[in-house]
């Protein structure tokens, strides 16, 4: 078929020439577009000009309002100067001729109303003084002068002092306020104090509602100082509605709103007078979000947050855009905004748009008709023939003939399509072959896909950036999540949060080696993690580049559960379920390793239960076990899951607290543990209260070695016990030094006993009436060959703890009895007081040993006074009573030492076979300065006399103490007033001294 080109109606041969009309039409359209852009530009200009007008209007309004605010401040400061000078600085100049009428009301207040009804005063009766009597009279006279002028500028004017005095005009507040009202708690008082107003200048308060006046007010407050002492304030209140009325905007299209830096709305068209009253009575702040929409609220929030002095923007209200300008009032910390509708500035432009676009629509219709006719005749018929050929080719008629190629552009297009058809025929042949190959590959891929989908292992496939693109059904079944939970998420997000510390290591391995394999927890639904054996491997193209990663997860929960049960038996305490010592040491080693790598710091707590042995012995081992279980449960409830809590054995516990870097945080946890343990515990029918002595050490600061850290915690715990138990103590270098000293003393103590480095000093007990020695207390002293004298306070506790006190005590008994025998030979037979330690008292060999010594030394048993402390007798009371009776059977006397500092249980005291009470030096040393100590000492002496017990007072150092004790019928005293503990060789000097004193008295 031959296609002929129709003759051109316009006599043109080139298609470019034929389309000239089309280009003309495009130019016409471009002109329309330019006109549209011109209108848009004009619209922007109008909006800009309107913003500028709004800005100038706002600037003028703020300037006027600032002048008004400054005027009010000047008036308030001048009034303050007058009040300060007349009432405080030069108060003598203002003399009132008459006294104010005072009303002493039953509510504890004084009120005074001026005769002219212009002002009134109020103050508490307990603050009334001649100064305030004069101030009431002077202020009434002064207010008659200044108040009429000031209340023309302000709603009221008042003076408030720090003693709760107020003079105010008008008088309503002073006459109606409750008698218990504290003016210095009001904003009017606190805003002006130096803490909030260091410059001591006039300040403005926040807007508040006054329930006396039933008005919203703002106050100008000026402080009064006299020689740098804050006396009070003068205040002038302005009604909010009156102050807002000073903001005329002078334009019906413009609207005003005011808010402060706290977001409180002070003025707005939506804020009526009734709403002011309702919110004031309800004591609710005028929050802006209660009255305005979110769009305007967002502008307010942004202005306040950024502390902007000026802000211009737009917002939508009631479906219409408004333009706004906001400015800050510096003195009041207010913001004033003026806004108007944007459409009011564009009304004329909208009419022009309608006319302009109507005209261009008519032009467009005419040009479209002309173009349609020209294009159809010159182009469309030939294109239609070409389209018919292309459409047939597209339907599969591959052998169709295309129109012949002419010399114009459409003819060239015909030739191009014909050449393209030839190429397409070749491509289709090749494509058919590829489709066949693709079908074969798809079948193989489908088999692989099904193998992955039905695999018993969870599979996740990601892109090269570890973003998840595929999850197989097994992974969904294992975790309980749906597919959307995984898609487009990071691969490592499947790791459970419990293994968060492992994520960084996995990420480093994947980015450095592109591979990772190991056991971990993956997150399950409802935060339930699943143990899996996870393997992450790369998928590479032929060239070696990585295009994706595949992660396979094999569920090993059963294996881990079996391991957990085995570990439970190996690493956890069967009674409490807490970690045992083995597991605790493992966790400690891990924590130390992490701390060395800089991951975190941690705290180690080491503690045992105070008095646990007593509870275990008295209530039985079952009750003790129940107590340990309850303690473990309380610790697990109050501490975090990531903390390691361990029972190391018996009643010893340890806690590893991860992420603790400061001692303050460790102190909070220690207090929590003590409060938790201090709550009463029911053991059968018995209620017990326990406590813990806690030692704390911080890692890695205190030590980077595991054993050293445990040693430090142990030292800190023993220091806590030494401080009185039920407390905690942090490790310090001083504790380490003390431990070394303790170890040194313990080692040297054994040598000293063998080398006989000890001596006995004797402190006399004197009858203050006759100045005669009636007894001696034997006190051990240790003179080390290199260290000199080591105080008993250092070596006695160590001897007690190591058991050496039994051997040492036996030596003291022997030496003291031999001393008593020597006194008898010299004709100075006297009583000897010997201290028994707790371990020595409980020793079954004590009674036979003492009987043997008495027999060998031939000392009368009645001359031996054995001294015991109250606490030694309270552990097992029945056993203690039995032991005391055995000692009494030997004929010795029993003395209670340090009476009043231990349990002081009278019910037990009457059962003990006691002969003597020794008043502790802690009660005597502050006599006569401490009245409480005097009363306690007198009570102890009186009680002992009622019980027919002898009394000895320790620590007597002054004649006043001796006289007080004599006045209360206690005559046997012991202390430095008479003599310090001395060696036996110095006794002769003591006797001479006492004889001289007797002679001087006589």
């Amino acid at each position: 078929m031959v296609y002929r080109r129709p003759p051109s109606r316009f006599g043109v041969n080139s298609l470019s020439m034929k389309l000239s009309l089309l280009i003309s039409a495009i130019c016409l359209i471009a002109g329309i577009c330019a006109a549209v852009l011109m209108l848009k530009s004009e619209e922007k200009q109008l909006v800009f000009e309107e913003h500028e007008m709004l800005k100038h209007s706002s600037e003028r309004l703020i300037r006027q309002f600032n002048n008004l605010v400054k005027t009010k401040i000047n008036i308030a400061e001048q009034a303050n100067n007058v009040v300060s000078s007349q009432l405080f600085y030069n108060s003598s100049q203002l003399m009132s001729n008459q006294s104010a009428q005072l009303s002493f009301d039953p509510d504890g207040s004084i009120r005074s109303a001026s005769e002219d009804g212009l002002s009134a005063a109020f103050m508490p009766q307990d603050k009334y003084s001649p100064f305030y009597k004069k101030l009431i009279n002077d202020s009434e006279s002064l207010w008659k002068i200044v108040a009429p002028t000031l209340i023309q500028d302000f709603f009221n004017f008042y003076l408030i002092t720090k003693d709760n005095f107020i003079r105010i005009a008008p008088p309503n507040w002073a006459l109606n306020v409750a008698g218990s009202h504290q003016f210095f708690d009001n904003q009017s008082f606190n805003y002006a104090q130096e803490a909030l107003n260091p410059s001591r200048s006039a300040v403005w308060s926040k807007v508040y509602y006054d329930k006396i006046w039933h008005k919203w007010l703002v106050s100008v407050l000026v402080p009064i100082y006299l020689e740098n002492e804050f006396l009070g304030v003068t205040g002038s209140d302005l009604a909010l509605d009156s102050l807002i009325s000073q903001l005329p905007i002078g334009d019906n299209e413009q609207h005003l709103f005011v808010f402060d830096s706290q977001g409180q709305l002070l003025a707005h068209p939506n804020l009526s007078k009734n709403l002011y009253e309702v919110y004031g009575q309800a004591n609710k702040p005028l929050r802006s979000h209660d009255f305005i929409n979110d769009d305007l609220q967002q502008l307010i929030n942004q202005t306040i947050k950024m502390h902007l002095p000026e802000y211009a923007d737009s917002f939508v209200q009631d479906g219409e855009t408004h333009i706004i300008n906001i400015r800050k009032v510096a003195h009041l910390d207010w913001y004033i905004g003026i806004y108007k509708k944007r459409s009011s500035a564009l009304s004329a432009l909208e009419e022009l748009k309608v006319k302009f676009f109507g005209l261009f629509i008519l032009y467009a219709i005419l040009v479209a008709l002309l173009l349609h006719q020209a294009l159809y005749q010159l182009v469309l018929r030939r294109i239609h023939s070409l389209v018919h050929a292309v459409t047939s080719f597209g339907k599969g008629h591959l052998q169709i003939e295309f129109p012949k190629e002419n010399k114009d552009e459409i003819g060239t297009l015909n030739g191009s399509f014909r050449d393209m058809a030839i190429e397409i025929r070749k491509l289709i042949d090749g494509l058919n072959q590829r489709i066949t190959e693709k079908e074969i590959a798809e079948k193989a891929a489908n088999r692989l896909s099904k193998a992955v989908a039905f695999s018993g292992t969870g599979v996740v496939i990601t892109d090269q950036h570890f973003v998840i693109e595929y999850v197989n059904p097994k992974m969904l079944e294992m975790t309980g999540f749906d597919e959307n939970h995984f898609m487009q998420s990071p691969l490592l997000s499947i790791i459970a949060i419990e293994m968060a510390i492992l994520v960084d290591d996995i990420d480093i391995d994947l980015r450095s080696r592109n591979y990772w394999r190991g056991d971990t927890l993956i997150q399950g639904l409802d935060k339930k993690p699943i143990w899996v054996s996870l393997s992450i491997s790369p998928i590479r193209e032929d060239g070696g580049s990585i295009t994706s990663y595949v992660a396979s997860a094999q569920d090993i929960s059963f294996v881990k559960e079996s391991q957990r049960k085995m570990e439970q038996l190996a690493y956890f305490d069967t009674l409490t379920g807490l970690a045992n010592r083995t597991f605790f040491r493992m966790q400690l080693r891990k924590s130390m390793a992490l701390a060395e790598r800089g991951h975190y710091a941690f705290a180690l707590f080491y503690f045992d239960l105070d008095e646990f042995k007593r509870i275990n012995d008295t209530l039985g081992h079952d009750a003790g076990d129940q107590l340990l279980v309850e303690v473990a449960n309380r610790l697990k409830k109050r501490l975090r899951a990531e903390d390691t809590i361990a029972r190391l054995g018996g009643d010893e516990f340890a806690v590893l607290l991860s992420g603790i870097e400061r001692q303050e945080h460790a102190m909070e946890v220690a207090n929590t543990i003590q409060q938790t343990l201090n709550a009463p515990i029911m053991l059968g029918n018995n209620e017990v209260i326990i406590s813990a002595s806690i030692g704390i050490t911080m890692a890695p600061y205190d030590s980077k070695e595991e054993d050293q850290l445990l040693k430090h915690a142990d030292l800190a715990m023993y220091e806590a016990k030494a401080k009185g138990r039920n407390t905690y103590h942090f490790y310090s270098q001083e504790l380490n030094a003390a431990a070394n000293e303790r170890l040194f003393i313990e080692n040297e103590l054994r040598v000293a006993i063998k080398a006989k480095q000890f001596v006995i000093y004797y402190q006399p007990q004197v009858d203050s009436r006759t100045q005669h020695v009636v007894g001696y207390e034997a006190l051990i002293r240790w003179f080390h060959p290199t260290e000199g004298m080591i105080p008993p306070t250092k070596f006695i506790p160590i001897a007690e703890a190591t058991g050496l006190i039994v051997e040492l005590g036996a030596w003291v008994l022997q030496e003291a009895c031999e001393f008593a025998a020597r006194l008898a030979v010299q004709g100075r037979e006297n009583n000897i007081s010997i201290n028994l330690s707790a371990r020595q008292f409980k020793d079954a060999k004590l009674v036979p040993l003492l009987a043997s010594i008495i027999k060998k030394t031939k000392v009368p048993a009645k001359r031996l006074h054995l001294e015991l402390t109250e606490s030694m007798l309270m552990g097992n009371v029945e056993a203690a009573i039995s032991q005391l009776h055995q000692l009494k059977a030997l004929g010795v006397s029993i003395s209670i030492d340090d009476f009043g500092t231990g349990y002081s249980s009278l019910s037990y005291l009457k059962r003990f076979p006691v002969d003597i009470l020794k008043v502790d030096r802690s009660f005597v040393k502050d006599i006569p300065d401490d009245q409480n100590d005097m009363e306690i000492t007198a009570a102890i002496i009186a009680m002992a006399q009622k019980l027919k017990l002898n009394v000895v007072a320790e620590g007597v150092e002054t004649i006043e103490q001796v006289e007080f004790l004599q006045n209360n019928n206690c005559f046997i005293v012991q202390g430095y007033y008479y003599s310090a503990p001395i060696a036996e060789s110095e006794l002769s000097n003591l006797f001479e001294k006492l004889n001289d004193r007797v002679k001087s008295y006589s």
Side-chain angles (χ1 to χ4, degrees):
M1 180 182 294
V2 178
Y3 293 85
R4 296 184 181 276
R5 178 172 57 84
S8 174
R9 182 178 299 178
F10 300 101
V12 292
N13 292 321
S14 172
L15 184 60
S16 300
M17 302 264 314
K18 296 173 185 177
L19 293 178
S20 59
L21 290 175
L22 180 60
I23 295 172
S24 299
I26 292 172
C27 292
L28 179 61
I29 294 171
I32 294 174
C33 293
V36 172
L37 292 175
M38 179 186 70
L39 289 174
K40 288 289 185 183
S41 176
E42 184 66 21
E43 180 179 336
K44 290 181 179 179
Q45 181 62 26
L46 286 174
V47 172
F48 174 76
E49 291 175 358
E50 194 63 28
H51 268 294
E52 288 296 309
M53 292 177 62
L54 203 61
K55 175 181 177 181
H56 294 314
S57 177
S58 174
E59 184 178 6
R60 183 172 61 257
L61 183 65
I62 289 294
R63 186 166 55 252
Q64 294 174 356
F65 192 67
N66 273 332
N67 291 335
L68 174 65
V69 170
K70 290 178 181 178
T71 300
K72 299 296 184 183
I73 292 176
N74 289 336
I75 295 172
E77 289 178 337
Q78 291 173 11
N80 176 271
N81 290 335
V82 171
V83 171
S84 300
S85 62
Q86 295 298 323
L87 297 183
F88 299 105
Y89 304 154
N90 302 310
S91 59
S92 61
Q93 297 180 4
L94 185 63
M95 301 294 293
S96 57
N97 297 325
Q98 57 185 6
S99 299
Q101 296 297 320
L102 304 182
S103 172
F104 290 81
D105 293 348
D107 61 3
S109 67
I110 300 175
R111 304 178 195 263
S112 172
S114 64
E115 294 180 356
D116 55 9
L118 184 63
S119 69
F122 165 94
M123 75 173 298
Q125 294 178 12
D126 59 357
K127 297 292 185 180
Y128 187 62
S129 65
F131 169 80
Y132 276 104
K133 179 180 180 181
K134 184 175 185 302
L135 182 61
I136 292 173
N137 296 332
D138 292 351
S139 63
E140 181 176 327
S141 300
L142 181 60
W143 252 246
K144 288 180 181 180
I145 300 171
V146 300
T149 303
L150 291 174
I151 60 178
Q152 293 179 10
D153 287 287
F154 298 99
F155 184 75
N156 55 30
F157 177 68
Y158 49 85
L159 163 68
I160 300 175
T161 74
K162 64 181 181 180
D163 292 324
N164 212 30
F165 168 81
I166 184 171
R167 165 68 68 180
I168 185 168
N172 301 48
W173 248 96
L175 299 179
N176 296 321
V177 70
S180 61
H181 184 78
Q182 303 293 328
F183 287 101
F184 48 76
D185 288 340
N186 292 355
Q187 294 176 338
S188 302
F189 194 82
N190 292 322
Y191 274 120
Q193 291 198 63
E194 191 163 12
L196 298 176
N197 182 25
S199 64
R200 302 183 179 180
S201 58
V203 295
W204 289 84
S205 73
K206 298 177 183 176
V207 174
Y208 61 95
Y209 185 79
D210 191 306
K211 291 192 176 180
I212 297 291
W213 297 111
H214 301 291
K215 284 183 176 292
W216 286 90
L217 302 176
V218 61
S219 304
V220 188
L221 308 167
V222 187
I224 299 174
Y225 286 86
L226 180 61
E227 296 180 354
N228 282 327
E229 180 185 359
F230 178 76
L231 299 181
V233 299
T234 58
S236 308
D237 294 344
L238 287 164
L240 178 62
D241 54 357
S242 174
L243 189 58
I244 296 298
S245 67
Q246 303 296 318
L247 293 168
I249 55 177
D251 189 337
N252 293 333
E253 293 183 350
Q254 295 180 355
H255 302 283
L256 173 78
F257 75 99
V258 183
F259 59 95
D260 63 18
S261 62
Q262 304 301 315
Q264 187 170 215
L265 194 65
L266 308 180
H268 191 271
N270 295 343
L271 194 58
S272 66
K273 187 174 182 179
N274 288 337
L275 279 175
Y276 270 108
E277 184 67 21
V278 169
Y279 271 70
Q281 290 292 345
N283 200 24
K284 292 174 58 179
L286 298 166
R287 294 299 182 191
S288 55
H289 55 69
D290 292 341
F291 307 99
I292 62 175
N293 63 12
D294 293 340
D295 206 7
L296 181 56
Q297 180 65 46
Q298 187 175 0
L299 294 182
I300 291 176
N301 294 341
Q302 188 171 359
T303 303
I304 294 173
K305 181 179 180 181
M306 299 178 66
H307 306 288
L308 299 173
E310 178 188 358
Y311 186 60
D313 208 326
S314 62
F315 68 96
V316 177
Q317 180 174 289
D318 298 330
E320 190 165 357
T321 303
H322 295 67
I323 59 175
I324 185 171
N325 187 276
I326 302 174
R327 287 179 176 270
K328 185 175 183 180
V329 181
H331 292 285
L332 284 171
D333 204 15
W334 288 5
Y335 294 87
I336 298 178
I338 301 177
Y339 66 91
K340 66 182 296 185
K341 293 181 179 179
R342 186 173 180 268
S343 59
S344 62
L346 304 176
S347 56
L349 185 62
E350 292 298 327
E351 295 177 2
L352 179 61
K353 282 183 180 180
V354 172
K355 294 178 182 179
F356 186 81
F357 281 106
L359 180 61
F360 272 101
I361 287 172
L362 293 176
Y363 279 118
I365 293 172
L366 178 60
V367 170
L369 292 174
L370 292 174
L371 284 175
H372 176 73
Q373 290 298 321
L375 288 173
Y376 181 76
Q377 295 296 329
L378 299 176
V379 178
L380 293 180
R381 283 192 300 173
R382 297 177 65 196
I383 291 178
H384 176 73
S385 299
L386 178 59
V387 168
H388 174 71
V390 171
T391 303
S392 297
F393 183 82
K395 291 180 179 181
H397 303 130
L398 302 181
Q399 303 303 322
I400 191 170
E401 290 291 334
F402 283 86
K404 289 186 178 180
E405 181 178 355
N406 292 332
K407 294 182 179 180
D408 60 8
E409 285 83 351
I410 293 179
T412 303
L413 185 60
N414 286 336
S416 297
F417 269 105
R418 184 175 62 252
D419 296 339
M420 183 180 66
I422 295 170
E423 293 297 326
I424 289 175
R425 293 187 190 107
K426 294 179 181 178
L427 289 173
I428 288 174
D429 293 339
L431 185 60
N432 287 334
Q433 183 179 355
R434 291 187 180 182
I435 289 173
T436 302
E437 295 173 353
K438 183 179 179 182
E439 288 176 350
I440 296 171
E442 285 180 348
K443 289 180 181 179
N446 188 38
R447 287 195 299 269
L448 180 59
S449 175
K450 288 182 178 180
V452 172
F454 293 105
S455 171
T457 300
V459 177
V460 176
I461 299 177
T462 74
D463 62 11
Q464 67 269 32
H465 301 298
F466 303 103
V467 177
I468 297 174
E469 297 180 335
Y470 170 79
V471 183
N472 77 334
K474 181 61 178 178
M475 178 62 79
L476 303 180
E477 176 190 340
M478 287 167 54
T479 62
F481 291 115
D482 57 24
E483 187 176 3
N484 292 332
H485 173 79
F486 292 98
M487 300 308 290
Q488 301 304 311
S489 299
L491 172 60
L492 297 185
S493 66
I494 69 173
I495 304 289
I497 57 176
E498 288 85 349
M499 306 296 288
I501 196 170
L502 189 62
V503 171
D504 290 341
D505 293 336
I506 297 175
D507 184 65
I508 292 171
D509 284 350
L510 289 176
R511 298 187 184 281
S512 60
R513 301 190 295 122
N514 306 123
Y515 176 82
W516 188 86
R517 183 173 184 176
D519 294 346
T520 186
L521 285 169
I522 63 173
Q523 193 65 48
L525 191 62
D526 299 327
K527 297 185 179 179
K528 183 177 180 182
I530 304 117
W531 274 107
V532 297
S533 176
L534 182 64
S535 174
I536 305 174
S537 305
I539 300 175
R540 300 180 184 272
E541 291 292 332
D542 294 339
S545 61
I546 298 174
T547 59
S548 56
Y549 287 84
V550 59
S552 61
Q554 181 71 40
D555 189 345
I556 58 171
S557 299
F558 176 79
V559 176
K560 287 294 182 179
E561 179 62 18
S562 299
Q563 291 178 353
R564 187 193 67 79
K565 291 179 179 179
M566 294 174 63
E567 290 174 354
Q568 187 74 25
L569 295 174
Y571 298 128
F572 291 89
D573 179 49
T574 55
L575 176 63
T576 62
L578 299 178
N580 62 14
R581 184 181 296 272
T582 303
F583 184 79
F584 176 75
R585 293 296 293 262
M586 290 171 55
Q587 293 300 106
L588 179 59
R589 282 192 289 272
K590 291 179 182 178
S591 298
M592 294 296 292
L594 290 173
E596 289 179 3
R597 295 171 61 181
H599 281 272
Y600 67 12
F602 66 92
L604 170 60
F605 283 27
Y606 198 93
F607 62 93
D608 62 14
L609 306 180
D610 301 330
E611 302 299 332
F612 174 76
K613 185 178 185 304
R614 180 173 61 84
I615 294 172
N616 211 24
D617 292 342
T618 55
L619 300 182
H621 292 286
D622 290 341
D625 290 346
Q626 183 183 349
L627 174 62
L628 293 174
V629 171
E630 177 62 23
V631 168
N633 291 336
R634 291 186 180 187
L635 292 174
K636 285 186 281 189
K637 287 180 181 178
R638 292 307 300 269
L639 298 179
R640 302 172 300 179
E642 61 266 29
D643 298 330
T644 300
I645 312 169
R647 178 189 174 211
L648 304 183
D651 64 329
E652 293 183 358
F653 294 85
V655 179
L656 280 178
L657 295 171
S658 60
I660 302 294
E661 297 184 356
R662 300 172 58 189
Q663 286 192 355
E664 291 81 0
H665 298 158
M667 289 168 60
E668 293 175 3
V669 178
N671 286 325
T672 298
I673 291 175
Q674 289 181 328
Q675 292 170 6
T676 300
L677 298 183
N678 286 342
I681 299 175
M682 290 301 300
L683 301 179
N685 296 325
N686 299 291
E687 181 180 81
V688 299
I689 297 177
I690 62 168
S691 61
S693 300
I694 305 174
I696 308 173
T697 183
M698 308 293 292
Y701 313 114
D702 291 340
S703 177
K704 295 184 179 180
E705 296 182 6
E706 175 187 345
D707 291 333
Q708 281 292 103
L709 207 62
L710 286 170
K711 176 186 173 184
H712 293 168
D714 191 46
L715 288 174
M717 181 187 72
Y718 277 104
E719 184 63 20
K721 285 185 176 295
K723 289 169 62 179
R725 303 188 175 187
N726 192 24
T727 185
Y728 56 84
H729 194 83
F730 285 90
Y731 167 77
S732 63
Q733 290 296 332
E734 290 76 10
L735 287 182
N736 205 30
N740 291 333
E741 182 184 48
R742 176 188 174 89
L743 182 60
F744 170 78
I745 291 176
E746 181 179 341
N747 293 333
E748 292 297 307
L749 196 57
R750 302 177 191 278
V751 177
I753 293 174
K754 294 179 180 178
K756 297 183 179 181
Q757 296 174 0
F758 298 97
V759 296
I760 302 297
Y761 272 34
Y762 301 93
Q763 187 171 33
Q765 297 171 344
V766 179
D767 187 332
S768 61
R769 296 168 296 184
T770 64
Q771 308 298 309
H772 290 158
V773 176
V774 296
Y776 300 91
E777 181 176 0
L779 300 169
I780 190 169
R781 294 293 184 264
W782 180 10
F783 290 93
H784 192 273
T786 59
E787 299 296 323
M789 192 185 82
I790 297 178
T793 54
K794 285 190 176 183
F795 71 83
I796 291 295
I798 297 174
E800 180 78 22
T802 57
L804 295 173
I805 194 69
V806 175
E807 184 178 355
L808 200 58
W811 178 81
V812 171
L813 284 172
Q814 181 72 36
E815 288 292 318
C817 288
E818 290 177 357
F819 169 72
R822 288 193 293 273
L823 287 178
V825 171
Q826 298 170 10
R828 299 182 183 274
E829 186 176 28
N830 228 320
N831 301 325
I832 302 297
S833 297
I834 306 168
N835 293 286
L836 292 183
S837 72
R839 183 169 290 198
Q840 188 180 7
F841 175 68
K842 295 175 183 178
D843 186 13
K845 298 178 181 179
L846 174 64
V847 175
L849 172 66
L850 185 57
S852 173
I853 293 175
I854 292 173
K855 184 177 180 180
K856 288 181 180 179
T857 58
K858 299 180 180 180
V859 174
K862 65 179 181 179
R863 293 296 183 183
L864 296 182
H865 296 175
L866 301 182
E867 295 191 1
L868 302 96
T869 62
E870 295 173 83
S871 57
M872 289 168 53
L873 305 174
M874 300 307 296
N876 187 337
V877 175
E878 300 303 327
I881 293 174
S882 175
Q883 180 81 330
L884 288 174
H885 280 293
Q886 292 180 43
L887 291 171
K888 288 287 291 182
L890 297 177
V892 301
S893 297
I894 303 297
S895 174
I896 299 295
D897 195 11
D898 301 336
F899 185 78
T901 62
Y903 292 90
S904 302
S905 173
L906 299 182
S907 63
Y908 287 128
L909 183 61
K910 69 180 184 180
R911 297 179 59 194
F912 294 147
V914 177
D915 303 292
I916 304 167
L917 288 186
K918 295 192 73 172
V919 181
D920 187 65
R921 69 184 68 250
S922 62
F923 299 125
V924 176
K925 67 182 180 68
D926 291 327
I927 294 174
D929 298 326
D930 192 319
Q931 186 65 31
N932 290 333
D933 283 349
M934 294 172 68
E935 293 176 357
I936 291 172
T937 303
I940 293 174
I941 295 170
M943 179 194 67
Q945 290 173 345
K946 291 292 183 181
L947 294 175
K948 295 181 173 54
L949 300 177
N950 295 323
V951 184
V952 177
E954 293 182 301
V956 176
E957 297 182 359
T958 66
I959 185 61
E960 291 83 6
Q961 294 168 353
V962 173
E963 291 173 350
F964 171 81
L965 293 169
Q966 286 179 339
N967 293 335
N968 285 275
N969 297 321
C970 176
F971 304 105
I972 308 304
V973 298
Q974 172 183 343
Y976 277 56
Y977 176 73
Y978 289 105
S979 174
I982 57 177
E984 182 180 354
S985 59
E986 298 178 13
L987 290 179
S988 57
N989 295 333
L990 171 66
F991 299 143
E992 293 177 3
K993 175 182 176 183
L994 292 177
N995 288 332
D996 293 340
R997 183 172 294 181
V998 170
K999 292 177 182 179
S1000 65
Y1001 284 164
S1002 60

